[in-house]
Amino acid sequence: MRSNNASRLLLSNTEFIPGYSINRHLGLVQGSTVRAKHFGRDMMAGLKNLVGGELKGYTELLNESRQEALDRMQQQAEAIGANAIINVRFSTSNITAGASELLAYGTAVVLERNG
């Protein structure tokens, strides 16, 4: 279970959160971003391929993309009255050469603390 600092929503990649009961299912929520490769990052990645190691420019790009997709998903969930998103997943797809979509999705719910 994860709670994002920017939001009061609970996020979980499981179907249930221990200590809570699902009061209402509000349905699927999602957030996505489409990102293109940056010329500078591409050039540095090409050089790094020669010597090996982490492609930090791409790592940053993916981290930014995941966070943006999560933020958009959380905004959608908050707009419909959710206080949690369960079963959170990520998916990627190629849009064009050099551009990809990163999608975050899950089930918006209203949880109640047990006991």
Side-chain angles (χ1 to χ4, degrees):
M1 177 173 54
R2 175 180 171 278
S3 181
N4 187 319
N5 293 337
S7 173
R8 293 185 180 188
L9 290 175
L10 296 175
L11 300 180
S12 176
N13 64 343
T14 62
E15 295 179 26
F16 302 99
I17 298 176
Y20 291 88
S21 300
I22 297 173
N23 188 341
R24 288 188 355 227
H25 279 88
L26 301 175
L28 178 69
V29 289
Q30 62 188 20
S32 69
T33 185
V34 176
R35 298 289 180 107
K37 292 189 253 179
H38 182 274
F39 174 73
R41 285 180 175 161
D42 246 8
M43 192 170 79
M44 294 305 290
L47 293 172
K48 194 62 134 174
N49 277 336
L50 296 175
V51 295
E54 181 181 7
L55 303 175
K56 292 186 182 192
Y58 287 142
T59 300
E60 286 177 23
L61 180 65
L62 286 171
N63 284 335
E64 292 167 5
S65 298
R66 276 191 295 272
Q67 191 58 55
E68 188 167 351
L70 279 173
D71 290 346
R72 290 177 177 174
M73 177 184 67
Q74 289 177 80
Q75 289 169 3
Q76 189 180 63
E78 288 173 334
I80 61 173
N83 66 0
I85 305 171
I86 57 172
N87 221 16
V88 173
R89 301 287 187 260
F90 290 98
S91 177
T92 60
S93 61
N94 289 330
I95 302 298
T96 66
S100 296
E101 175 191 35
L102 195 138
L103 172 70
Y105 62 96
T107 303
V109 296
V110 175
L111 295 178
E112 288 182 357
R113 192 176 265 300
N114 293 337

